[in-house]
Amino acid sequence: RVLMFWGDRRGEDRARVICFCVGARVPFKALTDYLEGGESLGEFLEQYPSVTREAAIAALEEARDSLMAHLG
């Protein structure tokens, strides 16, 4: 798996954030925000060098597969 849940402490509240399984905790939402904002995958990778192109593509594929399985 490329993605994992990470507990993020925000005061008393613990939010579950989906992150890449890489050296740094990079939220998957950062990637989708870049793409939704019209930025390229290359621009995202420049900003987050700990995420490889392969990991980013695999994460998108995993998210797609999860959505398709959920929709049945």
Side-chain angles (χ1 to χ4, degrees):
R1 293 192 69 126
V2 177
L3 300 175
M4 67 175 200
F5 285 104
W6 184 265
D8 183 25
R9 290 182 183 232
R10 294 188 182 145
E12 295 290 318
D13 185 30
R14 286 193 62 118
R16 284 173 33 126
V17 178
I18 300 173
C19 296
F20 286 93
C21 293
V22 294
R25 288 174 270 167
V26 177
F28 178 69
K29 187 175 181 329
L31 172 57
T32 60
D33 286 349
Y34 262 74
L35 298 176
E36 288 173 3
E39 305 295 330
S40 70
L41 178 57
E43 290 167 314
F44 170 80
L45 296 172
E46 285 179 20
Q47 184 67 29
Y48 297 96
S50 64
V51 178
T52 65
R53 177 174 295 278
E54 293 77 18
I57 291 170
L60 291 168
E61 290 172 345
E62 190 173 321
R64 178 201 60 213
D65 293 347
S66 177
L67 177 61
M68 295 305 293
H70 179 72
L71 295 176

